Amino acid sequence: MNKHKARELSSLIVICALSFCLWMLIASFHTLAIFLDQNQDVITLPKTLILFKYICIFLPLWLLNCVLAFMIWRRPEHMLTPLSMAASIAVMLFIGLPLLTANKVLIMLWFADQPWTLFSQEMKKTSAFVLWVDLFLIFFSYFLQTGFAMWQRTAAKELELIETENESMGLRLQLLQGQLKPHFLFNALNSISALVRGADRRLAGTALQQLNALLRYVLESSKHEWLSVADELQFIRDYLNMQLLRFGDRMHIEWQIEERDWHALPCPPLLFQPLVENAIHHGVENHHEQCSILLELQSINGKTSFRIRNAVFSTSKARNGHGLGISSTRERLQILYQDRASLITEKSGQADSIFLAEIQIPQTSCGDRVMNTGHKL
């Protein structure tokens, strides 16, 4: 039995149990009404027997609910069509109403200690009002069950749609995060390749060691949906240290980090790194000028704000890069946070200008969601 069928079977059991409680409650109210409306001297039966009598009267209606629930559970597409519902009502009118009335007459004869030979006579004495009451109870039982089943079916379809959408977004998120890994690796290897082609092979060896640590972090982060802001910031520090080996004095890094416990705040893996790659690619790699990169991390209105600024020179070579970083990060934020997070890019000036990229994500407590890798700021 699959998970969906098991969930429906447990729902069927719950429906039957709730239906039993409902009809027993109605039987209790009838018993209470007997003692409130009639003189106590007229009542000859004990309270428990009167309650039992009404339980026996309403028991067929509970069985009717259970049968309907079982039939809808077995064939919901067939039983909830207008034609099937009309046929069910007709069957209940021509079969259910006589049976319900007959059950009531038999119970009355039994508790009155009358012979069952009076059954036909008592059936003929049944008033139109009693028949209307029985008819109302049958309709109430039917529409209560079918109405609940239709609501439950609609809710199940909505839940299934939400689960499908969540699975789709989860797969898309994995794809986007998966795109960042080869993109990061390509840029890191490109930097090491430049060092290998240079004269200082010692720097290339140091860069390979740093790349090894970065790759371990990337592999470890792929096992977790959330890390801490502190982990991500330390990863950015290590990545920039490796890039400094390549660019040397041409790249100047400045940090402005607000003092607080960044280990306690969650962050998706590799969220900041594409913005850093973008700053290096357009601010340092595409020209031979000296470039300053300013990184800021602070808390603004209950959100974690990560900003990065870099210069863009008019002498930069026309290389557009891969175009994955900014667009993929913006799409990841939309999937993870909807409208509660943002990625803003801004360019000021015409020739030699400043490019700003800022990410803002909600500051919620990490709890058990954050995998702390032990990095220290």
Side-chain angles (χ1 to χ4, degrees):
M1 183 180 295
N2 57 33
K3 182 179 179 181
H4 182 66
K5 279 294 184 183
R7 184 190 303 170
E8 288 185 346
L9 180 59
S10 62
S11 177
L12 173 66
I13 296 173
V14 171
I15 289 172
C16 292
L18 290 176
S19 177
F20 178 80
C21 294
L22 174 64
W23 288 114
M24 295 307 101
L25 182 63
I26 293 175
S28 301
F29 282 141
H30 272 72
T31 305
L32 180 62
I34 291 294
F35 284 92
L36 293 177
D37 294 342
Q38 295 186 13
N39 192 330
Q40 297 292 328
D41 297 333
V42 180
I43 303 175
T44 57
L45 293 175
K47 295 179 181 179
T48 52
L49 281 181
I50 294 177
L51 177 61
F52 179 67
K53 179 176 73 173
Y54 280 102
I55 288 176
C56 294
I57 290 174
F58 289 109
L59 196 60
L61 292 168
W62 170 67
L63 294 175
L64 173 63
N65 279 137
C66 293
V67 171
L68 281 173
F70 178 77
M71 294 174 66
I72 293 173
W73 174 69
R74 290 299 301 271
R75 303 184 64 185
E77 295 82 6
H78 177 73
M79 289 297 299
L80 295 178
T81 60
L83 184 60
S84 296
M85 291 176 67
S88 300
I89 292 174
V91 170
M92 294 175 68
L93 284 176
F94 291 102
I95 299 178
L97 180 59
L99 289 178
L100 180 63
T101 306
N103 173 71
K104 185 182 297 185
V105 170
L106 288 173
I107 291 173
M108 292 297 182
L109 291 175
W110 179 29
F111 279 88
D113 201 18
Q114 298 290 326
W116 287 15
T117 54
L118 299 175
F119 173 74
S120 299
Q121 183 179 349
E122 293 297 325
M123 282 289 290
K124 293 177 182 179
K125 290 181 181 179
T126 304
S127 64
F129 175 76
V130 173
L131 292 176
W132 278 111
V133 171
D134 291 344
L135 184 63
F136 169 78
L137 290 174
I138 288 176
F139 277 134
F140 175 75
S141 176
Y142 177 77
F143 286 111
L144 179 68
Q145 183 60 55
T146 54
F148 182 79
M150 293 177 73
W151 170 82
Q152 189 179 39
R153 188 183 181 194
T154 301
K157 286 185 176 181
E158 291 178 353
L159 179 61
E160 185 177 354
L161 179 61
I162 292 173
E163 290 176 349
T164 303
E165 290 177 350
N166 288 340
E167 289 177 1
S168 177
M169 287 193 297
L171 291 174
R172 179 59 182 163
L173 189 62
Q174 291 178 7
L175 176 62
L176 290 171
Q177 189 168 328
Q179 287 176 343
L180 294 176
K181 295 173 186 177
H183 189 239
F184 152 76
L185 183 59
F186 174 83
N187 287 298
L189 291 176
N190 189 37
S191 297
I192 292 176
S193 176
L195 290 172
V196 170
R197 292 194 301 267
D200 196 341
R201 301 299 176 89
R202 181 182 57 83
L203 288 180
T206 303
L208 283 173
Q209 292 178 358
Q210 293 179 345
L211 176 61
N212 181 47
L214 293 172
L215 289 177
R216 282 202 303 268
Y217 177 87
V218 172
L219 291 174
E220 185 67 21
S221 68
S222 64
K223 303 175 184 177
H224 304 272
E225 185 178 358
W226 300 92
L227 303 177
S228 72
V229 174
D231 290 330
E232 283 295 289
L233 191 60
Q234 184 60 47
F235 174 72
I236 294 303
R237 287 183 185 273
D238 295 340
Y239 180 74
L240 287 172
N241 288 335
M242 186 186 71
Q243 294 293 345
L244 282 170
L245 295 177
R246 174 187 177 186
F247 296 108
D249 294 337
R250 284 207 304 116
M251 185 172 73
H252 174 70
I253 306 298
E254 183 179 352
W255 299 88
Q256 293 183 6
I257 309 298
E258 179 181 326
E259 291 292 334
R260 67 170 301 154
D261 184 14
W262 295 110
H263 289 279
L265 297 175
C267 181
L270 304 180
L271 183 65
F272 302 149
Q273 196 266 342
L275 273 63
V276 176
E277 281 189 6
N278 184 76
I280 293 174
H281 178 74
H282 294 285
V284 185
E285 190 176 15
N286 287 349
H287 59 81
H288 298 287
E289 307 288 339
Q290 287 190 346
C291 178
S292 293
I293 298 178
L294 173 62
L295 298 98
E296 301 174 81
L297 183 65
Q298 57 186 317
S299 175
I300 300 177
N301 298 326
K303 291 187 176 182
T304 297
S305 172
F306 175 79
R307 291 195 193 99
I308 183 167
R309 289 183 173 90
N310 63 275
V312 179
F313 296 94
S314 57
T315 57
S316 297
K317 301 175 184 178
R319 294 171 59 188
N320 295 324
H322 300 278
L324 289 175
I326 300 295
S327 60
S328 296
T329 302
R330 185 173 281 116
E331 190 170 352
R332 287 181 71 198
L333 290 175
Q334 179 62 32
I335 293 175
L336 288 169
Y337 299 104
Q338 288 76 51
D339 297 330
R340 296 179 295 118
S342 62
L343 169 55
I344 301 172
T345 58
E346 182 181 295
K347 185 178 180 182
S348 60
Q350 297 296 326
D352 294 345
S353 58
I354 299 296
F355 184 82
L356 166 68
E358 179 182 10
I359 288 178
Q360 287 193 0
I361 57 176
Q363 280 185 350
T364 54
S365 178
C366 291
D368 295 330
R369 297 190 303 172
V370 172
M371 179 279 297
N372 196 312
T373 59
H375 287 308
K376 295 182 179 179
L377 295 180

